[in-house]
Coordinates of all heavy atoms in Angstrom, one line a residue:
M1179 N 91.3 85.8 73.4 CA 92.4 86.8 73.6 C 93.5 86.4 72.6 O 93.8 85.2 72.4 CB 92.9 86.7 75.0 CG 93.9 87.8 75.3 SD 94.2 87.9 77.0 CE 95.3 89.3 77.0
H1180 N 94.1 87.4 72.0 CA 95.2 87.2 71.1 C 96.5 87.3 71.8 O 96.7 88.1 72.7 CB 95.2 88.2 70.0 CG 94.0 88.1 69.1 ND1 93.7 87.0 68.3 CD2 92.9 89.0 69.0 CE1 92.5 87.2 67.7 NE2 92.1 88.4 68.1
Y1181 N 97.5 86.4 71.4 CA 98.8 86.4 72.0 C 99.8 86.6 70.8 O 99.6 86.1 69.7 CB 99.1 85.2 72.8 CG 98.3 85.1 74.0 CD1 97.0 84.5 74.0 CD2 98.8 85.6 75.2 CE1 96.3 84.4 75.2 CE2 98.0 85.6 76.4 CZ 96.8 85.0 76.3 OH 96.0 85.0 77.5
R1182 N 100.9 87.2 71.1 CA 102.0 87.4 70.2 C 103.2 86.4 70.6 O 103.5 86.4 71.7 CB 102.5 88.9 70.2 CG 103.6 89.2 69.2 CD 104.0 90.6 69.3 NE 105.0 90.8 70.3 CZ 104.9 91.5 71.4 NH1 103.8 92.1 71.7 NH2 105.9 91.7 72.2
R1183 N 103.6 85.7 69.6 CA 104.8 84.8 69.9 C 106.0 85.5 69.5 O 106.2 86.0 68.3 CB 104.6 83.5 69.1 CG 103.4 82.7 69.6 CD 103.1 81.4 68.8 NE 104.3 80.6 68.8 CZ 104.8 80.1 67.6 NH1 104.3 80.4 66.5 NH2 105.9 79.4 67.6
E1184 N 107.0 85.7 70.4 CA 108.2 86.4 70.2 C 109.4 85.5 70.4 O 109.5 84.8 71.4 CB 108.2 87.6 71.2 CG 109.3 88.6 70.9 CD 109.0 89.5 69.7 OE1 107.8 89.8 69.5 OE2 109.9 89.9 69.0
R1185 N 110.3 85.5 69.4 CA 111.6 84.7 69.6 C 112.5 85.7 70.3 O 112.7 86.8 69.9 CB 112.1 84.4 68.2 CG 113.2 83.4 68.2 CD 112.6 82.0 68.5 NE 113.8 81.0 68.5 CZ 113.7 79.9 69.1 NH1 112.6 79.5 69.7 NH2 114.7 79.1 69.1
V1186 N 113.2 85.2 71.4 CA 114.1 86.0 72.2 C 115.4 85.2 72.5 O 115.4 84.0 72.5 CB 113.4 86.4 73.6 CG1 112.2 87.3 73.4 CG2 113.0 85.1 74.4
R1187 N 116.4 86.0 72.8 CA 117.7 85.5 73.3 C 117.8 86.1 74.7 O 117.8 87.3 74.9 CB 118.8 85.9 72.4 CG 120.2 85.3 73.0 CD 121.4 85.6 72.1 NE 121.1 85.2 70.7 CZ 121.2 86.1 69.7 NH1 121.5 87.3 69.8 NH2 121.0 85.6 68.4
I1188 N 118.0 85.2 75.6 CA 118.2 85.6 77.1 C 119.5 85.2 77.5 O 120.0 84.0 77.3 CB 117.1 84.9 77.9 CG1 115.7 85.4 77.4 CG2 117.3 85.2 79.4 CD1 114.5 84.7 78.1
E1189 N 120.2 86.0 78.3 CA 121.4 85.7 78.9 C 121.3 85.7 80.4 O 120.7 86.6 81.0 CB 122.5 86.7 78.5 CG 123.9 86.2 78.8 CD 125.0 87.1 78.1 OE1 124.9 87.2 76.9 OE2 125.8 87.6 78.9
T1190 N 121.8 84.7 81.1 CA 122.0 84.6 82.5 C 123.5 84.7 82.8 O 124.3 84.8 81.9 CB 121.3 83.4 83.1 OG1 122.1 82.2 82.7 CG2 119.9 83.2 82.6
Q1191 N 123.8 84.5 84.1 CA 125.2 84.5 84.4 C 126.0 83.3 83.8 O 127.2 83.5 83.4 CB 125.4 84.4 86.0 CG 125.0 85.6 86.7 CD 126.0 86.8 86.5 OE1 127.1 86.6 86.3 NE2 125.4 88.0 86.7
R1192 N 125.3 82.2 83.5 CA 125.9 81.0 83.0 C 125.5 80.5 81.7 O 126.1 79.6 81.1 CB 125.8 79.9 84.1 CG 126.4 80.2 85.4 CD 126.1 79.2 86.5 NE 126.4 77.9 86.0 CZ 126.1 76.8 86.7 NH1 125.4 76.9 87.8 NH2 126.4 75.6 86.2
H1193 N 124.3 81.1 81.2 CA 123.7 80.5 80.0 C 123.3 81.6 79.0 O 123.0 82.7 79.4 CB 122.4 79.7 80.3 CG 122.7 78.7 81.4 ND1 122.4 78.9 82.7 CD2 123.1 77.4 81.2 CE1 122.7 77.7 83.3 NE2 123.1 76.8 82.5
E1194 N 123.3 81.2 77.7 CA 122.6 81.9 76.7 C 121.5 81.0 76.2 O 121.7 79.9 75.8 CB 123.6 82.2 75.5 CG 122.9 83.1 74.5 CD 123.9 83.4 73.3 OE1 124.1 82.5 72.5 OE2 124.5 84.5 73.3
I1195 N 120.3 81.6 76.2 CA 119.1 80.8 76.0 C 118.3 81.5 74.9 O 118.0 82.7 74.9 CB 118.2 80.7 77.3 CG1 119.0 80.1 78.4 CG2 116.9 79.9 77.0 CD1 118.4 80.3 79.7
E1196 N 118.0 80.7 73.8 CA 117.1 81.2 72.8 C 115.8 80.4 72.7 O 115.9 79.2 72.7 CB 117.9 81.1 71.4 CG 117.2 81.9 70.3 CD 118.0 81.9 69.1 OE1 119.2 82.3 69.1 OE2 117.4 81.6 68.0
G1197 N 114.7 81.1 72.8 CA 113.4 80.4 72.8 C 112.3 81.3 72.4 O 112.5 82.5 72.1
T1198 N 111.1 80.8 72.5 CA 109.9 81.6 72.1 C 109.1 81.8 73.4 O 108.8 80.9 74.1 CB 109.0 80.8 71.1 OG1 109.9 80.5 70.0 CG2 107.8 81.5 70.7
V1199 N 108.7 83.1 73.5 CA 107.8 83.5 74.7 C 106.5 84.0 74.1 O 106.4 84.4 73.0 CB 108.5 84.6 75.5 CG1 108.7 85.9 74.7 CG2 107.8 84.9 76.8
Q1200 N 105.4 83.8 74.8 CA 104.1 84.2 74.4 C 103.7 85.4 75.2 O 103.6 85.3 76.5 CB 103.1 83.0 74.6 CG 102.0 83.1 73.6 CD 101.4 81.7 73.4 OE1 101.8 81.1 72.4 NE2 100.6 81.2 74.2
L1201 N 103.4 86.5 74.6 CA 103.0 87.7 75.2 C 101.6 88.2 74.8 O 101.2 87.8 73.7 CB 104.0 88.8 74.8 CG 105.5 88.6 75.1 CD1 106.3 89.7 74.4 CD2 105.7 88.6 76.6
P1202 N 100.9 88.9 75.6 CA 99.6 89.5 75.1 C 99.9 90.4 73.9 O 101.0 91.0 73.8 CB 99.2 90.4 76.3 CG 99.9 89.8 77.5 CD 101.2 89.3 77.0
S1203 N 99.0 90.4 72.9 CA 99.3 91.1 71.6 C 99.1 92.6 71.8 O 99.7 93.3 71.0 CB 98.4 90.6 70.5 OG 97.0 90.9 70.8
E1204 N 98.4 93.0 72.8 CA 98.2 94.5 73.0 C 97.8 94.7 74.4 O 97.5 93.8 75.2 CB 97.1 95.0 72.0 CG 95.8 94.3 72.2 CD 94.8 94.8 71.1 OE1 95.2 95.0 70.0 OE2 93.6 94.9 71.5
G1205 N 97.9 96.0 74.8 CA 97.5 96.4 76.1 C 98.6 96.1 77.2 O 99.8 96.0 76.9
Y1206 N 98.1 96.0 78.4 CA 98.9 95.9 79.6 C 99.8 94.6 79.5 O 99.3 93.6 79.1 CB 98.0 95.8 80.8 CG 98.7 95.7 82.1 CD1 99.6 96.8 82.5 CD2 98.5 94.7 83.0 CE1 100.3 96.7 83.7 CE2 99.2 94.6 84.2 CZ 100.0 95.6 84.5 OH 100.7 95.6 85.7
R1207 N 101.1 94.8 79.7 CA 102.1 93.7 79.7 C 102.3 93.1 78.3 O 102.8 92.0 78.1 CB 101.7 92.6 80.6 CG 101.8 93.1 82.1 CD 101.6 91.9 83.0 NE 101.5 92.5 84.4 CZ 100.7 92.0 85.3 NH1 100.0 91.0 85.1 NH2 100.7 92.6 86.5
S1208 N 102.0 93.9 77.2 CA 102.3 93.4 75.9 C 103.7 93.6 75.5 O 104.2 93.0 74.6 CB 101.3 94.1 74.9 OG 101.5 95.5 74.8
R1209 N 104.4 94.5 76.2 CA 105.8 94.7 75.9 C 106.6 93.7 76.8 O 106.2 93.4 77.9 CB 106.3 96.1 76.3 CG 105.6 97.2 75.5 CD 106.1 98.6 75.8 NE 106.1 98.8 77.2 CZ 106.5 100.0 77.8 NH1 107.0 100.9 77.1 NH2 106.4 100.1 79.1
T1210 N 107.7 93.2 76.2 CA 108.5 92.2 76.9 C 109.0 92.7 78.3 O 108.9 92.0 79.3 CB 109.8 91.9 76.0 OG1 109.3 91.4 74.8 CG2 110.6 90.8 76.7
T1211 N 109.4 94.0 78.4 CA 109.9 94.5 79.7 C 108.7 94.5 80.7 O 108.9 94.2 81.9 CB 110.4 95.9 79.5 OG1 109.5 96.7 78.9 CG2 111.7 95.9 78.8
D1212 N 107.5 94.9 80.3 CA 106.4 94.9 81.2 C 106.1 93.5 81.7 O 105.8 93.2 82.8 CB 105.2 95.5 80.6 CG 105.3 97.0 80.3 OD1 106.2 97.6 80.9 OD2 104.6 97.5 79.4
F1213 N 106.1 92.6 80.7 CA 105.8 91.2 81.0 C 106.8 90.6 82.0 O 106.4 89.9 83.0 CB 105.8 90.4 79.7 CG 105.3 89.0 79.9 CD1 104.0 88.7 79.9 CD2 106.2 87.9 79.9 CE1 103.5 87.4 80.0 CE2 105.7 86.6 80.0 CZ 104.3 86.4 80.0
L1214 N 108.1 90.9 81.9 CA 109.1 90.4 82.8 C 109.0 91.1 84.2 O 109.4 90.4 85.2 CB 110.5 90.7 82.2 CG 110.9 89.8 81.0 CD1 112.2 90.3 80.4 CD2 111.0 88.3 81.4
N1215 N 108.6 92.3 84.2 CA 108.5 93.0 85.5 C 107.2 92.7 86.3 O 107.0 93.3 87.4 CB 108.6 94.5 85.3 CG 110.0 94.9 84.9 OD1 111.0 94.3 85.4 ND2 110.2 95.9 84.1
A1216 N 106.3 91.9 85.7 CA 105.1 91.6 86.4 C 105.4 90.8 87.7 O 106.1 89.8 87.7 CB 104.2 90.7 85.6
H1217 N 105.0 91.3 88.8 CA 105.4 90.8 90.1 C 104.9 89.4 90.4 O 105.6 88.7 91.2 CB 105.0 91.7 91.3 CG 105.7 93.0 91.2 ND1 107.0 93.2 91.5 CD2 105.3 94.3 90.9 CE1 107.4 94.4 91.4 NE2 106.3 95.1 91.0
E1218 N 103.8 89.0 89.8 CA 103.3 87.6 90.1 C 104.0 86.5 89.3 O 103.8 85.4 89.4 CB 101.8 87.5 90.0 CG 101.3 87.6 88.5 CD 101.1 89.0 88.0 OE1 101.4 90.0 88.7 OE2 100.7 89.2 86.9
R1219 N 105.0 86.9 88.4 CA 105.7 86.0 87.6 C 107.0 85.7 88.1 O 107.9 86.5 88.0 CB 105.8 86.5 86.1 CG 104.4 86.7 85.5 CD 104.5 86.8 84.0 NE 103.4 87.3 83.4 CZ 102.2 86.7 83.3 NH1 102.1 85.5 83.8 NH2 101.2 87.2 82.7
D1220 N 107.2 84.5 88.7 CA 108.5 84.1 89.2 C 109.3 83.4 88.1 O 110.6 83.3 88.1 CB 108.4 83.2 90.4 CG 107.8 83.9 91.6 OD1 108.1 85.1 91.7 OD2 107.1 83.3 92.3
F1221 N 108.6 82.8 87.1 CA 109.3 82.0 86.1 C 108.8 82.5 84.7 O 107.6 82.9 84.6 CB 109.0 80.5 86.2 CG 109.7 79.9 87.4 CD1 109.1 79.9 88.6 CD2 110.9 79.4 87.2 CE1 109.7 79.3 89.7 CE2 111.6 78.8 88.3 CZ 111.0 78.8 89.5
L1222 N 109.6 82.4 83.7 CA 109.3 82.8 82.4 C 109.2 81.5 81.6 O 110.2 80.7 81.5 CB 110.3 83.7 81.8 CG 110.2 84.1 80.3 CD1 108.9 84.9 80.1 CD2 111.3 84.9 79.9
A1223 N 108.1 81.2 81.0 CA 107.9 80.0 80.2 C 108.4 80.2 78.8 O 108.1 81.2 78.1 CB 106.4 79.6 80.1
L1224 N 109.3 79.3 78.3 CA 109.8 79.4 76.9 C 109.6 78.1 76.3 O 109.7 77.0 76.9 CB 111.3 79.7 77.0 CG 111.8 81.0 77.6 CD1 113.2 81.0 77.9 CD2 111.5 82.1 76.5
T1225 N 109.3 78.1 75.0 CA 109.2 76.9 74.2 C 110.2 76.9 73.0 O 110.8 78.0 72.7 CB 107.7 76.8 73.6 OG1 107.5 77.9 72.8 CG2 106.7 76.6 74.7
D1226 N 110.4 75.8 72.4 CA 111.4 75.6 71.3 C 112.7 76.3 71.7 O 113.1 77.2 71.1 CB 110.8 76.2 70.1 CG 111.7 75.9 68.8 OD1 112.4 74.9 68.9 OD2 111.6 76.7 67.9
V1227 N 113.4 75.7 72.7 CA 114.5 76.3 73.4 C 115.8 75.7 73.1 O 115.9 74.5 73.0 CB 114.3 76.3 74.9 CG1 115.4 77.0 75.7 CG2 112.9 76.9 75.3
E1228 N 116.8 76.5 72.9 CA 118.2 76.0 72.8 C 119.0 76.7 74.0 O 118.9 77.9 74.1 CB 118.9 76.4 71.5 CG 120.3 75.8 71.5 CD 121.0 75.9 70.1 OE1 120.2 76.0 69.1 OE2 122.2 76.0 70.1
V1229 N 119.6 75.9 74.8 CA 120.4 76.4 75.9 C 121.9 76.1 75.6 O 122.3 75.0 75.3 CB 120.0 75.6 77.2 CG1 120.9 76.1 78.4 CG2 118.5 75.8 77.5
R1230 N 122.7 77.2 75.7 CA 124.1 77.1 75.6 C 124.8 77.6 76.8 O 124.4 78.6 77.4 CB 124.6 78.0 74.4 CG 124.1 77.4 73.0 CD 124.5 78.3 71.8 NE 123.9 79.6 71.8 CZ 122.6 79.8 71.3 NH1 121.9 78.8 70.8 NH2 122.1 81.0 71.3
W1231 N 125.9 76.9 77.3 CA 126.6 77.3 78.5 C 127.7 78.3 78.0 O 128.5 78.0 77.1 CB 127.3 76.0 79.1 CG 126.3 75.3 80.0 CD1 126.3 75.4 81.4 CD2 125.2 74.5 79.7 NE1 125.3 74.6 81.9 CE2 124.6 74.1 80.9 CE3 124.7 74.1 78.5 CZ2 123.5 73.3 80.9 CZ3 123.5 73.3 78.5 CH2 122.9 72.9 79.7
L1232 N 127.8 79.4 78.7 CA 128.7 80.5 78.3 C 130.2 80.0 78.5 O 131.0 80.4 77.7 CB 128.5 81.7 79.1 CG 127.1 82.4 78.8 CD1 127.0 83.6 79.8 CD2 127.1 82.9 77.4
A1233 N 130.4 79.2 79.5 CA 131.8 78.7 79.7 C 132.2 77.6 78.7 O 133.3 77.1 78.7 CB 131.9 78.2 81.1
G1234 N 131.2 77.1 77.9 CA 131.5 76.0 77.0 C 131.7 74.7 77.7 O 132.2 73.8 77.1
S1235 N 131.3 74.6 78.9 CA 131.5 73.3 79.7 C 130.6 72.2 79.3 O 130.9 71.0 79.6 CB 131.3 73.6 81.2 OG 130.0 74.1 81.4
R1236 N 129.6 72.5 78.5 CA 128.7 71.4 78.1 C 128.2 71.7 76.7 O 128.2 72.8 76.2 CB 127.4 71.3 79.0 CG 127.8 70.8 80.4 CD 126.6 70.9 81.3 NE 125.5 70.0 81.0 CZ 124.5 69.8 81.7 NH1 124.4 70.4 82.9 NH2 123.5 69.0 81.4
A1237 N 127.8 70.7 76.0 CA 127.2 70.8 74.6 C 125.9 71.5 74.7 O 125.2 71.4 75.7 CB 127.1 69.5 74.0
P1238 N 125.5 72.3 73.7 CA 124.2 72.9 73.7 C 123.1 71.9 73.8 O 123.3 70.8 73.3 CB 124.1 73.7 72.3 CG 125.6 73.9 72.0 CD 126.3 72.7 72.5
E1239 N 122.0 72.3 74.4 CA 120.8 71.4 74.5 C 119.6 72.0 73.9 O 119.4 73.2 73.9 CB 120.5 71.1 76.0 CG 121.6 70.4 76.8 CD 121.3 70.2 78.2 OE1 120.2 70.6 78.7 OE2 122.1 69.6 78.9
R1240 N 118.7 71.2 73.4 CA 117.4 71.6 72.9 C 116.3 71.0 73.7 O 116.4 69.9 74.2 CB 117.2 71.2 71.4 CG 118.2 71.9 70.5 CD 117.7 72.1 69.1 NE 116.4 72.7 68.9 CZ 116.2 74.0 68.8 NH1 117.2 74.8 69.0 NH2 115.0 74.4 68.6
H1241 N 115.3 71.9 74.0 CA 114.2 71.4 74.9 C 112.9 72.0 74.3 O 112.9 73.1 73.7 CB 114.3 71.9 76.3 CG 115.6 71.4 77.0 ND1 115.7 70.2 77.5 CD2 116.8 72.0 77.2 CE1 116.9 70.0 78.0 NE2 117.6 71.1 77.8
E1242 N 111.8 71.3 74.4 CA 110.5 71.8 73.9 C 110.0 72.9 74.9 O 109.4 73.8 74.4 CB 109.5 70.7 73.9 CG 109.7 69.7 72.8 CD 108.6 68.7 72.7 OE1 107.4 69.0 72.9 OE2 108.9 67.5 72.4
F1243 N 110.4 72.8 76.1 CA 109.9 73.8 77.1 C 110.9 73.9 78.3 O 111.5 72.9 78.7 CB 108.5 73.3 77.7 CG 108.1 74.1 78.9 CD1 107.4 75.2 78.7 CD2 108.3 73.6 80.2 CE1 107.0 76.0 79.8 CE2 107.9 74.4 81.3 CZ 107.2 75.5 81.1
I1244 N 111.1 75.1 78.8 CA 111.8 75.3 80.0 C 111.0 76.5 80.8 O 110.4 77.3 80.2 CB 113.3 75.7 79.9 CG1 113.5 77.0 79.2 CG2 114.0 74.6 79.2 CD1 114.9 77.6 79.3
A1245 N 111.2 76.5 82.1 CA 110.7 77.6 82.9 C 112.0 78.2 83.5 O 112.7 77.5 84.2 CB 109.8 77.0 84.0
L1246 N 112.2 79.5 83.2 CA 113.4 80.2 83.6 C 113.1 81.1 84.7 O 112.1 81.9 84.6 CB 113.9 81.0 82.4 CG 115.2 81.8 82.6 CD1 116.4 81.0 83.0 CD2 115.5 82.6 81.4
A1247 N 113.8 81.0 85.8 CA 113.6 81.9 87.0 C 114.0 83.3 86.6 O 115.1 83.6 86.2 CB 114.5 81.4 88.2
V1248 N 113.0 84.2 86.6 CA 113.1 85.6 86.2 C 114.3 86.3 86.9 O 115.0 87.1 86.2 CB 111.8 86.4 86.3 CG1 112.0 87.9 86.0 CG2 110.8 85.8 85.4
P1249 N 114.5 86.1 88.2 CA 115.6 86.9 88.8 C 117.0 86.5 88.3 O 117.9 87.3 88.4 CB 115.5 86.4 90.3 CG 114.1 86.0 90.5 CD 113.7 85.4 89.2
H1250 N 117.1 85.4 87.5 CA 118.4 85.1 86.9 C 118.7 85.7 85.6 O 119.8 85.6 85.1 CB 118.5 83.5 86.8 CG 118.6 82.8 88.1 ND1 119.8 82.8 88.8 CD2 117.7 82.2 88.8 CE1 119.5 82.1 90.0 NE2 118.3 81.8 90.0
I1251 N 117.7 86.4 85.0 CA 117.9 87.0 83.7 C 118.7 88.3 83.8 O 118.5 89.1 84.6 CB 116.5 87.4 83.1 CG1 115.7 86.1 82.9 CG2 116.7 88.2 81.8 CD1 114.3 86.3 82.4
V1252 N 119.8 88.3 83.0 CA 120.7 89.5 82.9 C 120.3 90.4 81.7 O 120.3 91.6 81.8 CB 122.2 89.0 82.8 CG1 123.1 90.2 82.6 CG2 122.5 88.2 84.1
M1253 N 120.0 89.7 80.6 CA 119.7 90.5 79.4 C 118.7 89.7 78.5 O 118.7 88.5 78.5 CB 121.0 90.6 78.6 CG 120.9 91.4 77.3 SD 122.4 91.5 76.4 CE 122.5 89.9 75.7
V1254 N 117.8 90.5 77.8 CA 116.9 89.9 76.9 C 116.9 90.7 75.6 O 116.9 91.9 75.6 CB 115.4 89.9 77.4 CG1 114.4 89.4 76.4 CG2 115.3 89.2 78.7
V1255 N 117.0 90.0 74.5 CA 117.0 90.6 73.2 C 115.9 90.0 72.4 O 115.8 88.7 72.3 CB 118.3 90.3 72.4 CG1 118.3 90.9 71.0 CG2 119.5 90.9 73.2
E1256 N 115.0 90.8 71.8 CA 113.9 90.3 71.0 C 114.5 90.1 69.6 O 115.1 91.0 69.0 CB 112.8 91.3 70.9 CG 112.0 91.5 72.2 CD 110.9 92.5 72.1 OE1 111.0 93.4 71.2 OE2 110.0 92.5 73.0
L1257 N 114.3 88.9 69.1 CA 114.9 88.5 67.8 C 113.9 88.7 66.6 O 114.3 89.2 65.6 CB 115.4 87.1 67.8 CG 116.5 86.8 68.9 CD1 116.9 85.3 68.9 CD2 117.7 87.7 68.6
E1258 N 112.7 88.2 66.8 CA 111.7 88.3 65.7 C 110.3 88.0 66.3 O 110.2 87.2 67.2 CB 112.0 87.4 64.5 CG 111.9 86.0 64.8 CD 112.2 85.1 63.6 OE1 111.5 85.4 62.5 OE2 113.0 84.2 63.6
T1259 N 109.3 88.6 65.7 CA 107.9 88.2 66.0 C 107.5 87.1 65.1 O 107.7 87.2 63.9 CB 107.0 89.5 65.8 OG1 107.5 90.5 66.7 CG2 105.6 89.1 66.2
L1260 N 106.9 86.0 65.7 CA 106.5 84.9 65.0 C 105.1 84.9 64.6 O 104.6 83.9 64.0 CB 106.9 83.6 65.8 CG 108.4 83.4 66.1 CD1 108.5 82.2 67.0 CD2 109.2 83.3 64.9
G1261 N 104.3 85.9 65.0 CA 102.9 86.0 64.6 C 102.0 85.9 65.8 O 102.5 85.8 67.0
L1262 N 100.7 86.0 65.5 CA 99.7 86.0 66.6 C 99.0 84.7 66.6 O 98.9 84.0 65.6 CB 98.7 87.1 66.3 CG 99.1 88.5 66.3 CD1 98.0 89.5 65.9 CD2 99.7 88.9 67.6
V1263 N 98.6 84.3 67.8 CA 97.7 83.1 68.0 C 96.5 83.6 68.7 O 96.5 84.5 69.5 CB 98.5 82.0 68.8 CG1 99.6 81.4 67.9 CG2 99.0 82.4 70.1
D1264 N 95.4 82.9 68.5 CA 94.1 83.3 69.1 C 94.1 83.1 70.6 O 93.5 83.9 71.3 CB 92.9 82.6 68.4 CG 92.7 83.1 67.0 OD1 93.0 84.3 66.8 OD2 92.1 82.4 66.2
E1265 N 94.6 82.0 71.1 CA 94.6 81.7 72.5 C 95.7 80.7 72.8 O 96.1 80.0 71.9 CB 93.2 81.3 73.0 CG 92.7 80.0 72.3 CD 91.3 79.7 72.7 OE1 90.4 80.6 72.6 OE2 91.1 78.6 73.2
I1266 N 96.0 80.6 74.1 CA 97.0 79.7 74.5 C 96.5 78.3 74.5 O 95.4 78.0 74.9 CB 97.5 80.0 75.9 CG1 98.2 81.3 76.0 CG2 98.5 78.9 76.5 CD1 98.6 81.8 77.3
E1267 N 97.2 77.3 73.9 CA 96.8 75.9 73.9 C 96.9 75.4 75.3 O 97.8 75.7 76.0 CB 97.8 75.1 73.0 CG 97.7 75.5 71.5 CD 96.4 75.0 70.9 OE1 95.9 73.9 71.3 OE2 95.9 75.7 70.0
P1268 N 95.8 74.7 75.7 CA 95.9 74.1 77.1 C 97.0 73.1 77.2 O 97.3 72.4 76.3 CB 94.5 73.5 77.3 CG 94.0 73.3 75.9 CD 94.7 74.3 75.0
L1269 N 97.6 73.1 78.4 CA 98.7 72.1 78.7 C 98.0 70.8 78.9 O 96.9 70.7 79.5 CB 99.5 72.5 79.9 CG 100.3 73.8 79.7 CD1 101.0 74.2 81.0 CD2 101.4 73.6 78.7
P1270 N 98.7 69.7 78.5 CA 98.1 68.4 78.7 C 98.0 68.1 80.3 O 98.9 68.5 81.0 CB 99.0 67.4 78.1 CG 100.2 68.2 77.7 CD 99.9 69.6 77.8
V1271 N 96.9 67.5 80.7 CA 96.7 67.2 82.1 C 97.5 65.9 82.4 O 97.3 64.9 81.7 CB 95.2 67.1 82.4 CG1 95.0 66.7 83.8 CG2 94.5 68.3 82.0
A1272 N 98.3 66.0 83.4 CA 99.1 64.8 83.8 C 98.1 63.8 84.5 O 97.2 64.2 85.3 CB 100.2 65.2 84.8
S1273 N 98.3 62.6 84.3 CA 97.4 61.6 85.0 C 97.9 61.5 86.4 O 99.0 61.6 86.7 CB 97.5 60.2 84.2 OG 98.8 59.8 84.3
A1274 N 96.9 61.3 87.3 CA 97.2 61.1 88.7 C 97.8 59.8 88.9 O 97.5 58.8 88.4 CB 95.9 61.2 89.5
S1275 N 98.8 59.8 89.8 CA 99.5 58.6 90.1 C 98.9 58.0 91.4 O 98.4 58.7 92.3 CB 101.0 58.8 90.3 OG 101.3 59.6 91.3
T1276 N 99.0 56.7 91.6 CA 98.5 56.1 92.8 C 99.7 55.8 93.7 O 100.7 55.3 93.3 CB 97.9 54.7 92.4 OG1 96.9 54.9 91.4 CG2 97.3 54.0 93.6
P1277 N 99.5 56.3 95.0 CA 100.7 56.1 95.9 C 100.8 54.6 96.2 O 99.9 53.8 96.1 CB 100.2 56.9 97.1 CG 98.7 57.0 97.0 CD 98.4 57.0 95.6
P1278 N 102.1 54.2 96.5 CA 102.3 52.8 96.9 C 101.5 52.4 98.1 O 101.3 53.3 99.0 CB 103.8 52.7 97.1 CG 104.2 54.1 97.4 CD 103.2 55.0 96.7
P1279 N 101.2 51.1 98.2 CA 100.4 50.7 99.4 C 101.3 50.8 100.7 O 102.5 50.6 100.6 CB 100.0 49.3 99.1 CG 101.0 48.8 98.1 CD 101.4 50.1 97.3
L1280 N 100.7 51.1 101.8 CA 101.4 51.2 103.1 C 101.5 49.8 103.7 O 100.6 49.0 103.7 CB 100.7 52.1 104.1 CG 100.6 53.6 103.6 CD1 99.8 54.3 104.6 CD2 102.0 54.2 103.5
D1281 N 102.7 49.4 104.1 CA 102.9 48.1 104.7 C 102.7 48.1 106.2 O 102.9 49.0 106.9 CB 104.3 47.5 104.4 CG 104.4 47.2 102.9 OD1 103.4 46.9 102.3 OD2 105.5 47.3 102.4

């Protein structure tokens, strides 16, 4: 399956967030609005992200990845299409941790 990488600017009540979202390249939910309105999506995954506080109370931060709660989104602006990718890269599997021994 092909995916389209889209650079977006998102505003919440407290933040302005610029990052990259991955959308289907065609068909159902290929438009940003359809993707955001999908009922099974509680969070929007963004990569290569810069977060700025609207009140200026903190310095801007850069993150490789954030998950943004969709209900907090006030505005989305598409900035540019970064191209198509053949499929989503699998996320690295976290190693299982061993619980501490019970005393």
